[in-house]
Amino acid sequence: MKVDPSLLEATIRRVLAQLPVERTGDGVFADMDSAVAAAAAAEREYLTRSMADRRRYVAAIREVMLDPDNLDYMSVQAVQQTGMGDVGHKYLKNKAAAELTPGVEDLVTEAYSGDDGLTTVEYSAFGVIGAITPTTNPTETITCNSIGMLAAGNAVVFSPHPRARDLSLWQVQQINRALRAVGAPDNLVVTVAEPSIENTTAMIAHPAVRMIVATGGPGIVKTVLASGKKAIGAGAGNPPVVVDETADIDHAAKCIVDGASFDNNLPCTAEKEIVAVDAIADLLKFSMVKHGAYELSADESSRVERVILADGRPALEWVGKPAAAILEAIGVEPPAGVRLLVCEADRDHPFVVHELMMPVLGLVRVPDVDAAIDLACELEHGNRHTAIMHSRDVSNLTRMGKLIQTTVFVKNGPSFNGIGIGGEGYCTFTIAGPTGEGLTRARNFARSRRCVLVGDLNVR
Ligand code: NAD
């Protein structure tokens, strides 16, 4: 029998990818001190490499993360290991992170020339960066942070969420192998075999770590901001979506169902509650049902509450679970294709005020657009993260944008358009509202340095 060599190779790669992760090697270290020391040595070696080398290294990360087998593996394993999210949507997120995260081209040099000579301002490496990554986008964040941080000349020590441990270790090893194959210094991207709060604390405190980037909830953002080091905090959101009476209601309904069900509502940018003007609220709900939502009755909503909340807060075991599973848990047969649950709720209902990260949205009815915008601002809790509005009135869109002051403001589209998936602009999975970098990219992981040549090289 003749064996197709490409089929054989693909099968071997798939089997190898599924073998248990080797606990150390290829960027994975037994303890934090060894990991940071290796990253520091790699960063010193990296200083000797050219910008063309950096471009090749970034290209190698993109290539390995875009390998179709690896995309499949990361998407399936992320759902299996964390128990959250949707495989198909994870695939899209991982692909966007590898393709659309800015690289070396983001580091644009500024120049001043005149009678006194030539001065340049360049983006230069911080050194070793400590990056803390979430369960909700485990691999996407490692991909996008690795590309941006290496593009800016740094080495990076990852501190992944323990629930995404095996997959994060596997990913760091894949990146190291890909970098070694194109001649990069070993250990530009490292982690520890047993990620834990203790290891993260040790990483933050390590003197060789010059910058900390935390992508996660309010606790870890607060911790890194108190570290005394340069820190970027990419924290929680509770994105409201406002729909006014001028909106294209059918389009708005489809966008809300698409955005709020994306990866089962895990993205920090996903629509988390709806504020609808009374005149169109019924039509909006009707249209959402047409596009794959299920409207909960008051009794069903109370039953869902008892399942997905624990002490009034989102129950961890229900974060990122599909809408159909939630319906089954309250004894309702899920209609075919159901993606999102929606129910009318008061403005202080837990489905409205909390970042559930589940495909369950409260809809608050308000008399007019001004009341809608004011309530949306309140529900965003000053996170300055993300907001969405559906309206064809430019003044209403402008008023909301000015008042809500979020880092991402999506108009007339699903929330994921705001991170480059189906919308213009680059991609990132580290959105820094609290510290103001916004949608982070290579230049945010760099220091600004001035080089002054006195008296010469002004050729005008
Ligand atoms: P999380 O805060 O539980 O964990 C995030 C990371 O911080 C993990 O690696 C975790 O191990 C670590 N961590 C948490 N508390 C710590 C502590 N006290 N000491 C040391 N390490 C600690 O968040 P999660 O559940 O993994 O992710 C979801 C949260 O992250 C949501 O609030 C979401 O909005 C937010 N998020 C924000 C962004 C953004 O770009 N702004 C992106 C993704 C997720």
Side-chain angles (χ1 to χ4, degrees):
M1 189 182 79
K2 229 174 152 210
V3 179
D4 175 352
S6 60
L7 194 67
L8 184 63
E9 190 192 326
T11 310
I12 293 171
R13 279 154 63 90
R14 198 168 296 122
V15 170
L16 283 178
Q18 284 161 14
L19 289 176
V21 177
E22 268 293 323
R23 271 282 160 256
T24 53
D26 290 326
V28 179
F29 289 82
D31 59 86
M32 189 51 83
D33 274 348
S34 316
V36 176
E43 196 265 330
R44 275 193 300 280
E45 172 69 18
Y46 199 15
L47 277 174
T48 67
R49 305 299 168 96
S50 66
M51 297 304 285
D53 287 335
R54 276 195 210 179
R55 287 191 191 91
R56 285 192 303 109
Y57 304 160
V58 167
I61 299 175
R62 293 193 204 279
E63 192 183 336
V64 70
M65 290 298 114
L66 285 171
D67 177 309
D69 286 343
N70 288 344
L71 281 174
D72 280 341
Y73 182 73
M74 288 187 285
S75 312
V76 170
Q77 287 300 313
V79 175
Q80 272 183 17
Q81 292 182 24
T82 64
M84 302 173 179
D86 175 89
V87 172
H89 295 156
K90 296 249 182 240
Y91 190 99
L92 295 175
K93 287 165 63 183
N94 277 290
K95 191 161 175 291
E99 279 176 345
L100 301 175
T101 299
V104 177
E105 73 287 353
D106 190 50
L107 310 169
V108 180
T109 299
E110 257 179 77
Y112 301 83
S113 67
D115 296 341
D116 291 332
L118 173 70
T119 291
T120 58
V121 181
E122 293 181 304
Y123 287 113
S124 186
F126 254 90
V128 177
I129 299 180
I132 298 150
T133 56
T135 35
T136 46
N137 312 319
T139 48
E140 300 88 329
T141 312
I142 290 182
T143 298
C144 102
N145 284 182
S146 296
I147 291 174
M149 290 171 187
L150 265 61
N154 306 285
V156 50
V157 183
F158 280 108
S159 212
H161 197 291
R163 279 175 79 187
R165 181 192 62 191
D166 288 356
L167 181 56
S168 304
L169 267 52
W170 172 89
Q171 191 183 7
V172 165
Q173 292 177 325
Q174 295 293 318
I175 291 175
N176 270 274
R177 287 176 202 149
L179 287 173
R180 186 176 305 131
V182 293
D186 276 345
N187 302 317
L188 282 173
V189 177
V190 301
T191 189
V192 286
E194 292 296 341
S196 62
I197 287 193
E198 293 70 31
N199 272 324
T200 304
T201 308
M203 179 187 81
I204 294 171
H206 199 295
V209 174
R210 307 294 292 261
M211 179 191 213
I212 319 280
V213 178
T215 309
I220 189 61
V221 168
K222 202 168 158 206
T223 301
V224 304
L225 293 186
S227 67
K229 296 184 180 180
K230 166 70 183 179
I232 293 182
N238 190 39
V241 49
V242 165
V243 187
D244 78 7
E245 69 283 6
T246 70
D248 173 343
I249 301 301
D250 189 65
H251 177 71
K254 180 172 185 316
C255 290
I256 295 171
V257 177
D258 287 349
S261 63
F262 191 56
D263 208 14
N264 293 336
N265 201 262
L266 285 182
C268 51
T269 46
E271 293 83 348
K272 298 279 188 293
E273 64 278 341
I274 305 166
V275 185
V277 168
D278 183 39
I280 51 82
D282 289 327
L283 179 59
L284 180 67
K285 286 192 298 178
F286 171 83
S287 309
M288 285 178 68
V289 169
K290 190 176 106 189
H291 289 293
Y294 176 93
E295 187 181 358
L296 298 166
S297 66
D299 172 61
E300 287 168 341
S301 164
S302 310
R303 276 150 54 206
V304 167
E305 224 180 292
R306 287 197 288 278
V307 168
I308 67 170
L309 301 182
D311 297 326
R313 308 285 306 183
L316 188 60
E317 67 269 29
W318 285 97
V319 169
K321 291 287 192 285
I326 298 171
L327 279 182
E328 277 164 4
I330 61 159
V332 172
E333 175 74 27
V338 67
R339 298 187 281 158
L340 183 73
L341 310 183
V342 63
C343 60
E344 282 216 35
D346 292 334
R347 58 198 292 152
D348 55 357
H349 191 280
F351 293 175
V352 173
V353 292
H354 293 315
E355 183 197 34
L356 296 182
M357 295 188 289
M358 301 171 199
V360 180
L361 262 62
L363 179 150
V364 186
R365 198 183 277 261
V366 290
D368 56 39
V369 69
D370 287 342
I373 293 171
D374 290 348
L375 180 59
C377 292
E378 198 181 311
L379 297 173
E380 211 275 324
H381 305 311
N383 292 320
R384 295 186 162 192
H385 199 298
T386 298
I388 304 98
M389 185 173 194
H390 293 274
S391 172
R392 283 187 283 207
D393 183 316
V394 174
S395 308
N396 290 349
L397 290 165
T398 308
R399 182 168 134 72
M400 170 130 167
K402 280 200 181 226
L403 289 177
I404 202 151
Q405 284 290 322
T406 48
T407 305
V408 180
F409 181 35
V410 178
K411 305 170 197 76
N412 299 324
S415 50
F416 50 74
N417 288 174
I419 53 166
I421 302 178
E424 291 298 329
Y426 61 89
C427 182
T428 182
F429 284 89
T430 297
I431 298 166
T435 46
E437 290 78 5
L439 286 88
T440 57
R441 47 182 165 161
R443 67 182 65 174
N444 302 120
F445 308 125
R447 300 154 55 223
S448 173
R449 292 174 62 202
R450 177 183 277 213
C451 253
V452 184
L453 178 71
V454 182
D456 279 311
L457 278 183
N458 166 34
V459 295
R460 291 175 295 181

